[in-house]
């Protein structure tokens, strides 16, 4: 292990810059925080260990399976990298995946300007749990390599193909690829989500937390669906709604034998 004691160390400065999207895009790397990430098979570029936990047997056993650069830093330096109040003392640097739009599966998720990192991370985790492999995200949404997104995904970010697309190109792509466009919307002509009709290829769209799906996208939708509200709440959180609807889609797919 390499011990770093100065904030002017080049490796330390490089990792710190990865807290900004601009530098993550430039370097094609991102960071994840938490001991749990040592349990995944994704190979790190660098593992940063807080000096206070470096000698813990549990940590050493997990570190030993990775043949990568490992650095130890003191608490003062670590505090400049962590995004958590009660950090577990582990930060990992990964290479970003190269996304692909060429081999999208028959059932995909589309996110239109989802802005909250916790929501995006949870949706990625739900998508993975429900057996979805691809998420299209309109540009202007939160970066999926944002630290909170990565943490909220609980490792599922390694299992999903995530591709960002211009909003103006989204409908054109979906129509060209002959997707059945299903939008979640609080509209008078929306039908209960249990009544949605699935075709051979389906794209389910979830919108911005406050404003929903852009009108230009809704206009081109083949179906609009809604989760009925039986109490007094105005609506459901988008991550919660995604869990309900994605599992309903999965159940319908299973029933038809696909």
């Amino acid at each position: 292990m390499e011990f770093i004691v100065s904030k002017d160390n080049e490796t330390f400065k490089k990792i710190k810059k990865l807290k900004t999207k601009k530098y993550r895009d430039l370097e094609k790397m991102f960071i994840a925080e938490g001991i749990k990430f040592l349990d995944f098979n994704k190979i790190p570029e660098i593992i940063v260990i807080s000096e206070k936990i470096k000698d813990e047997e549990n940590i050493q056993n997990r570190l030993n399976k990775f043949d990568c650069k490992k650095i130890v830093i003191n608490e003062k330096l670590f505090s400049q990298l962590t995004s958590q109040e009660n950090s577990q003392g582990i930060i990992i640097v990964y290479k970003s995946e190269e996304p692909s739009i060429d081999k999208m599966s028959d059932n995909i998720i589309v996110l239109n300007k989802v802005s909250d990192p916790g929501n995006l991370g949870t949706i990625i985790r739900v998508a993975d749990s429900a057996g979805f492999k691809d998420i299209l995200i309109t540009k202007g949404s939160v970066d999926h390599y944002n630290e909170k997104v990565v943490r909220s995904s609980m490792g599922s970010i390694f299992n999903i193909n995530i591709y960002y697309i211009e909003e103006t190109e989204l409908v054109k792509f979906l129509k060209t690829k002959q997707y059945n466009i299903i939008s979640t919307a609080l509209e008078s002509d929306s039908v209960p989500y249990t009544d949605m009709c699935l075709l051979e290829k389906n794209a389910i769209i979830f919108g911005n937390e406050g404003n929903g799906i852009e009108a230009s996208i809704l206009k081109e939708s083949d179906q609009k669906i809604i989760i009925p509200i039986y109490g007094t709440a105005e609506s459901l959180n988008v991550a919660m709604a995604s869990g309900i609807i994605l599992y309903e889609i999965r159940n319908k797919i299973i029933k038809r034998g696909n």
Side-chain angles (χ1 to χ4, degrees):
M1 291 187 188
E2 176 186 351
F3 285 79
I4 292 178
V5 296
S6 171
K7 64 181 178 60
D8 295 321
N9 177 276
E10 289 302 317
T11 300
F12 177 80
K13 290 194 293 185
K14 178 178 180 178
I15 296 170
K16 189 174 180 179
K17 287 180 180 179
L18 292 175
K19 296 177 78 66
T20 64
K21 182 182 186 306
K22 177 182 178 180
Y23 202 74
R24 289 194 296 269
D25 291 345
L26 180 65
E27 293 294 317
K28 298 189 183 307
M29 293 182 179
F30 67 99
I31 58 179
E33 183 169 357
I35 292 174
K36 181 66 178 175
F37 283 90
L38 295 176
D39 295 333
F40 301 124
N41 292 324
K42 173 79 170 175
I43 304 300
E45 293 295 298
I46 305 170
I47 301 177
V48 183
I49 305 110
S50 168
E51 189 174 23
K52 72 177 183 180
I53 68 163
K54 68 180 178 64
D55 295 323
E56 293 182 11
E57 184 177 355
N58 178 47
I59 298 299
Q60 288 297 325
N61 290 338
R62 288 174 165 178
L63 290 173
N64 287 339
K65 73 175 183 178
F66 295 114
D67 182 19
C68 66
K69 185 172 185 175
K70 303 178 182 78
I71 64 173
V72 178
I73 61 178
N74 60 37
E75 286 303 292
K76 184 176 180 180
L77 291 181
F78 196 89
S79 68
Q80 297 180 44
L81 299 181
T82 182
S83 60
Q84 300 182 46
E85 287 187 19
N86 299 302
S87 175
Q88 295 177 319
I90 292 289
I91 290 175
I92 303 177
V93 178
Y94 293 105
K95 276 189 176 179
S96 305
E97 294 292 331
E98 287 296 328
S100 173
I101 198 172
D102 298 324
K103 295 181 180 180
M104 290 277 164
S105 51
D106 288 344
N107 296 285
I108 65 173
I109 299 163
V110 180
L111 304 179
N112 180 213
K113 291 185 178 177
V114 169
S115 61
D116 183 83
N119 281 338
L120 178 54
T122 301
I123 292 171
I124 292 170
R125 187 177 179 184
V126 169
D128 188 20
S129 299
F132 289 79
K133 299 299 181 184
D134 301 286
I135 300 179
L136 275 180
I137 305 180
T138 58
K139 292 183 179 179
S141 304
V142 64
D143 176 25
H144 67 301
Y145 287 133
N146 172 291
E147 292 171 72
K148 188 173 181 181
V149 175
V150 175
R151 186 167 65 252
S152 299
S153 80
M154 290 298 289
S156 288
I157 196 164
F158 303 138
N159 305 325
I160 301 289
N161 175 45
I162 299 173
Y163 190 92
Y164 282 76
I165 187 171
E166 293 288 351
E167 194 171 280
T168 53
E169 295 296 314
L170 174 63
V171 172
K172 178 182 177 181
F173 170 79
L174 295 177
K175 294 286 188 182
T176 300
K177 297 298 182 179
Q178 298 182 316
Y179 280 99
N180 174 36
I181 303 174
I182 306 172
S183 292
T184 56
L186 301 173
E187 301 284 316
S188 59
D189 58 343
S190 295
V191 301
Y193 74 101
T194 50
D195 293 337
M196 75 177 111
C197 178
L198 297 184
L199 300 182
E200 192 65 29
K201 298 178 69 174
N202 305 280
I204 176 71
I205 307 180
F206 299 94
N208 173 267
E209 291 85 348
N211 301 316
I213 297 170
E214 289 291 329
S216 59
I217 298 174
L218 279 179
K219 182 180 177 182
E220 299 295 333
S221 300
D222 298 302
Q223 299 176 59
K224 287 180 280 188
I225 61 172
I226 190 171
I227 299 173
I229 301 294
Y230 299 107
T232 56
E234 181 180 319
S235 63
L236 286 173
N237 168 278
V238 66
M240 175 66 75
S242 76
I244 294 170
I245 292 173
L246 294 181
Y247 268 90
E248 176 66 17
I249 292 174
R250 179 53 56 198
N251 288 335
K252 288 180 180 294
I253 291 172
I254 290 172
K255 286 179 180 178
R256 75 181 186 186
N258 286 24

